[in-house]
Amino acid sequence: MSVAKNLLAGRIVEDNLFPYPRLREKDREVLGMMLEAIDEFLAPRREDFKRWDRDAAQPAEFIQGLRDLGLFGLIIPEAEGGLGLSNAGYARVLSQTSSHDSSVSLTIGAHSSIGMKGILLFGTPEQRARYLPKLATGEMIAAFCLTESGAGSDAASIRARAEKGADGNWTLNGEKIWITNGGIADLYTVFARTPSEAGKITAFIVEAAWPGVGHGQHEDKMGIRASSTTTVSFTDVKVPPENLLDAEGKGFKVAMAILNNGRTGLGGGAVGGMKTLIALATQQALARKQFGEPIANFGLIREKLAQMTLECFAAESVVWMVAHYIDSGLEDYSVEAAISKVYASEAIQRAAYEALQIAGGNGFMREFPYEEATRDCRILSIFEGTNEVLRLYIALSGLKEIGRSYSELRAAVDDIFNSPIKGFGVLADYAEKRLSRATGVGRDKLLGKIPPQLREATTAYEKYTVELAKASDYLLRKYGKSIAGRQHALKRVADMTIDLFVGLCVLSRATALSAEPGEESAQAMVIAHAFARQAKRRLAHNVRRIERNEDEEMDLLAGFIVDRGRYPWDIVK
Ligand SMILES: Cc1cc2nc3c(=O)[nH]c(=O)nc-3n(C[C@H](O)[C@H](O)[C@H](O)COP(=O)(O)OP(=O)(O)OC[C@H]3O[C@@H](n4cnc5c(N)ncnc54)[C@H](O)[C@@H]3O)c2cc1C
C-alpha cells in the first residue's frame, strides 16, 4: 500500500507509517565501526578536498583509500564480498561521507546507487558471480549510462543502438553524456535501443576495457567538481548475450527501478550535508559579534538556525522511512522515493543559502566552506530525475490511481471524463462518503497512536488529506484525462502530497521519540508541531489555489515572453 498514493484518495495508511522504523541491529554493528573509520579517513583531508574542488580531480591514491575502507561494497551481500548493508544503513554511510565532502559521496554513490544496482536487482546468478565480488572491493568501479545529448528528462528518447548479430553478440553504438564516474569506471550499465521489438530499450553490462569503449574529458562543473563526469562513447562495441541485463526490451523498466531504488542514497547525502551546514552556521553565529553581542542572539539568525534544523529533521525522517520501505520489500514505493528526493534536495539548498547568509561576507569568500557547499548541492534538484519531472510523477501517479478507482463507479457515472456535469452529484456524494470513511476522521485509531501533545499536528494532516482528496476529485472531474497537461495544477497536488507525506513521517518519528526521556525528545515534539503548522499554511494556500489562481494569466505572460524572446520593458523608453 503506497502511503503517498493513498493520500490522494483521502486515506492515511497508518500501518505503513507507525511505528517509525528502527535501523536493523546488523546495520548498527557495521555502522558503529564504519562511521568512525570514515571520519578518521576524511576529516584530516579538508584542505585536500578544497584543492581537489579547485583542480577538479580526485587522485587515484585517494580512491584507493575509499576501496580500502570497503566503501564500494556497502550494499553488496556478504556472500558476494560486500558489507551487506540495508538501504537504510547505506544512506547513513552516504550521510557521513557527505558531511565531509560531496564529491566523495558522488564517487561511492554513483557506483552503488545506480552504477551496479542493475546487477543487484536484475543480474543472473552468473552475472552476479562474475561482477559483484569485483564491484564489492572496488577493483571494478561502476557507472550508469542513460543520458544523451538529446535525451535528458525524456530518457525514453535515447538513440544509442544495439543490434543483434548472427553469432548472438550485440553491437553497441552511441554516446552518453554527463556520466558520473565516467572517467574512472571499469563497468557501465548502458541503455540502448534494440530493434527487435519496435522502439524498445534494453540494458547491457559493458566493460570499459572492451574495444570501442571510450570516455571524454573531465567536465568543468559548477559543483561536485572533483567527482568524475565525462561523456562515454560506444563504437561498434561487441557485447556478448550473457551481458544483457534482465530481458530484451525491458531496459526502461530496469532504468526506472534502479533510479527509484537509489534515491535514498541521494537523500542520505543531503541530510549529512545539512548537518554539517547546521554545525558550521551555529559556530559562526556564536563566534561572530555585531552590535556588541554574538549574532546567535538575534531573532532573525535564530529563525534561520531553527528552520534549518527543522527541515533537516524532516528530511531525515522521510529519507529513512523510504529506505525502510525498500528494505522491507514494499513494492510500491516510487512516489515516496520521489518525495524524499525532492524534499531533501530542496531542503539542503535552502540550508546552504541560509548558512552562507549567516556567515555574511565571509560566506562569499572561497576561504570559507559555504560557497562550495552552495555550489555542490545545486545539482541535487537536477540529476536522478529533475524535481519538476518528479513533481509531475508524484501527482500523476496518485491521480492515475484514483482515476482507476472511478471505474468502480462506471455503472453509475457514464463516461465521467467526457461528461463531468452529469457525474457530479453521484461522484461528489461518493467521494464524501469514501473520504469520511477512509481518512480516519471521526475515528480514534490514528489519534490513539499519537501522544496527546501531537494531537494538533495530527488533526492538520487528517484535515488536509481530505482536502487533497477533494482537490484531486475536483481536478479529475474538471480536466479528465487532460489533467496530464495541467502542470500548474499538478504541481499543487504534488506539493500537497509532499507536505502531507513528509509531515506524517515527522509525526511518526516524533511519536517514537516521545517515549524517550530528555531534551532531544522534547525538541522533537517542538519540531513536529512547528512543521505541522508550517505545512498547514502551505496546504491551505495550495487548496485555495486549486480553484482560484492566476494560471491562465501566467501562461499568457509566458507565451508573450517566449514569443519576444526577451524582457521588452525599459524605463528609458
Ligand atoms: C553533474 C551531473 C552528473 C550526472 N550524472 C549522470 C549519470 O551518472 N548518468 C546519467 O545517465 N545521467 C547523468 N546526468 C544527467 C542528468 O540525469 C540529467 O541532467 C537530468 O536527467 C536532466 O536532463 P537534462 O539535463 O537534459 O535537462 P532537460 O530534460 O533538458 O530539462 C531542462 C529543464 O526542463 C524541465 N523539464 C523537462 N521536461 C519537462 C516536462 N515534461 N515538464 C516540465 N518541465 C520539464 C526540467 O525539469 C529542467 O528544468 C548527470 C548530470 C549532471 C549535470
Side-chain angles (χ1 to χ4, degrees):
M1 291 279 273
S2 158
V3 174
K5 286 184 191 170
N6 271 286
L7 289 170
L8 279 84
R11 283 187 289 267
I12 297 174
V13 183
E14 301 151 51
D15 290 349
N16 283 353
L17 287 163
F18 297 90
Y20 192 80
R22 281 176 62 80
L23 216 52
R24 293 185 320 186
E25 208 42 57
K26 188 179 162 291
D27 286 328
R28 284 176 194 279
E29 276 168 32
V30 178
L31 290 175
M33 293 177 287
M34 190 109 209
L35 301 184
E36 225 170 279
I38 289 172
D39 284 344
E40 273 170 28
F41 181 63
L42 298 182
R45 289 181 162 73
R46 192 166 297 168
E47 287 308 311
D48 291 338
F49 293 139
K50 266 172 100 169
R51 202 173 59 252
W52 299 339
D53 168 62
R54 241 172 273 138
D55 300 349
Q58 221 169 37
E61 314 84 76
F62 176 72
I63 294 175
Q64 185 54 43
L66 301 178
R67 285 190 189 97
D68 296 342
L69 273 175
L71 289 172
F72 289 98
L74 297 169
I75 50 169
I76 295 176
E78 282 170 292
E80 283 154 316
L83 290 170
L85 279 177
S86 67
N87 234 285
Y90 167 69
R92 181 62 188 85
V93 171
L94 285 198
S95 168
Q96 198 75 4
T97 52
S98 291
S99 71
H100 295 278
D101 181 64
S102 307
S103 289
V104 174
S105 289
L106 254 286
T107 304
I108 304 162
H111 169 85
S112 288
S113 292
I114 52 178
M116 56 88 177
K117 183 63 76 63
I119 301 180
L120 264 188
L121 294 178
F122 300 101
T124 60
E126 188 274 328
Q127 287 167 344
R128 293 178 73 103
R130 186 148 43 105
Y131 291 118
L132 287 183
K134 289 182 183 164
L135 289 161
T137 57
E139 181 186 336
M140 284 191 129
I141 292 178
F144 176 85
C145 297
L146 179 62
T147 305
E148 299 177 5
S149 60
S153 298
D154 183 11
S157 67
I158 56 169
R159 301 176 70 124
R161 288 186 74 79
E163 314 257 353
K164 200 176 193 170
D167 58 358
N169 287 317
W170 294 85
T171 304
L172 174 66
N173 279 289
E175 187 179 57
K176 302 291 178 175
I177 63 167
W178 301 331
I179 302 307
T180 307
N181 287 350
I184 59 168
D186 309 278
L187 178 144
Y188 299 109
T189 299
V190 186
F191 299 87
R193 206 162 281 292
T194 43
S196 51
E197 269 189 81
K200 287 284 171 75
I201 292 170
T202 302
F204 297 94
I205 307 165
V206 178
E207 294 184 28
W210 291 349
V213 181
H215 67 80
Q217 294 293 312
H218 186 107
E219 298 286 352
D220 189 8
K221 305 191 294 289
M222 167 186 176
I224 50 160
R225 288 174 51 76
S227 150
S228 163
T229 311
T230 69
T231 56
V232 180
S233 59
F234 305 93
T235 312
D236 292 331
V237 177
K238 287 272 168 287
V239 183
E242 60 271 20
N243 275 39
L244 193 148
L245 202 47
D246 200 37
E248 193 179 332
K250 298 285 181 207
F252 195 70
K253 179 200 81 179
V254 169
M256 294 307 120
I258 292 172
L259 288 168
N260 283 330
N261 197 281
R263 289 203 206 290
T264 49
L266 188 151
V271 169
M274 267 186 270
K275 288 184 179 177
T276 297
L277 286 164
I278 292 167
L280 285 167
T282 315
Q283 287 152 23
Q284 181 76 22
L286 283 170
R288 178 66 173 166
K289 286 199 173 122
Q290 286 293 280
F291 304 99
E293 52 185 318
I295 60 168
N297 290 351
F298 300 138
L300 292 184
I301 301 296
R302 298 173 81 79
E303 185 185 34
K304 292 183 199 302
L305 293 172
Q307 190 65 27
M308 287 161 77
T309 307
L310 179 149
E311 295 192 12
C312 186
F313 185 93
E316 193 171 48
S317 304
V318 68
V319 166
W320 272 275
M321 182 69 88
V322 173
H324 167 72
Y325 290 163
I326 301 173
D327 290 332
S328 55
L330 201 79
E331 274 176 25
D332 193 1
Y333 61 81
S334 63
V335 174
E336 289 80 359
I339 290 174
S340 71
K341 191 271 191 183
V342 170
Y343 186 82
S345 63
E346 293 177 2
I348 190 176
Q349 289 180 61
R350 288 190 289 269
Y353 179 92
E354 294 295 24
L356 193 151
Q357 191 70 13
I358 289 172
N362 281 338
F364 204 66
M365 300 298 148
R366 298 197 72 179
E367 184 192 339
F368 287 81
Y370 306 98
E371 63 86 29
E372 188 192 335
T374 304
R375 288 187 283 109
D376 280 354
C377 66
R378 186 61 185 84
I379 187 62
L380 298 180
S381 50
I382 297 173
F383 65 14
E384 292 195 21
T386 69
N387 287 14
E388 287 79 13
V389 169
L390 289 178
R391 277 193 165 84
L392 299 176
Y393 178 75
I394 291 163
L396 283 172
S397 305
L399 289 170
K400 198 167 105 190
E401 207 76 4
I402 306 179
R404 241 180 241 152
S405 80
Y406 280 174
S407 64
E408 297 163 19
L409 295 179
R410 227 165 251 159
V413 188
D414 272 354
D415 206 6
I416 187 72
F417 285 127
N418 296 331
S419 179
I421 307 288
K422 198 166 116 197
F424 184 93
V426 184
L427 203 66
D429 190 37
Y430 167 79
E432 285 293 343
K433 273 200 214 126
R434 182 168 51 106
L435 296 183
S436 57
R437 199 176 54 230
T439 52
V441 174
R443 292 182 298 154
D444 58 3
K445 200 172 159 217
L446 179 59
L447 290 171
K449 292 184 177 177
I450 310 277
Q453 66 267 39
L454 292 175
R455 186 158 301 200
E456 184 193 326
T458 312
T459 314
Y461 297 128
E462 286 182 340
K463 171 174 159 54
Y464 281 98
T465 299
V466 176
E467 292 298 331
L468 172 62
K470 283 184 184 166
S472 306
D473 253 17
Y474 169 82
L475 290 171
L476 279 174
R477 267 189 278 117
K478 182 163 181 192
Y479 297 116
K481 285 174 184 160
S482 73
I483 186 67
R486 298 279 167 171
Q487 294 199 345
H488 299 91
L490 292 173
K491 178 169 185 289
R492 273 171 216 128
V493 170
D495 284 341
M496 290 178 72
T497 312
I498 292 169
D499 262 329
L500 286 168
F501 181 65
V502 175
L504 286 163
C505 292
V506 169
L507 191 66
S508 168
R509 184 145 173 246
T511 302
L513 287 171
S514 71
E516 293 175 17
E519 215 186 327
E520 282 170 20
S521 151
Q523 289 300 326
M525 302 304 116
V526 173
I527 289 177
H529 255 294
F531 188 94
R533 288 201 178 159
Q534 293 179 358
K536 195 172 157 184
R537 278 198 294 277
R538 289 189 295 264
L539 285 158
H541 178 70
N542 276 319
V543 167
R544 271 199 306 279
R545 280 162 47 87
I546 290 280
E547 288 188 60
R548 281 186 297 150
N549 53 58
E550 60 292 339
D551 293 353
E552 276 179 27
E553 289 92 323
M554 292 302 276
D555 217 48
L556 279 173
L557 178 58
F560 168 76
I561 214 73
V562 166
D563 275 351
R564 294 288 176 100
R566 64 185 183 86
Y567 178 87
W569 295 279
D570 190 326
I571 52 156
V572 176
K573 279 192 268 172

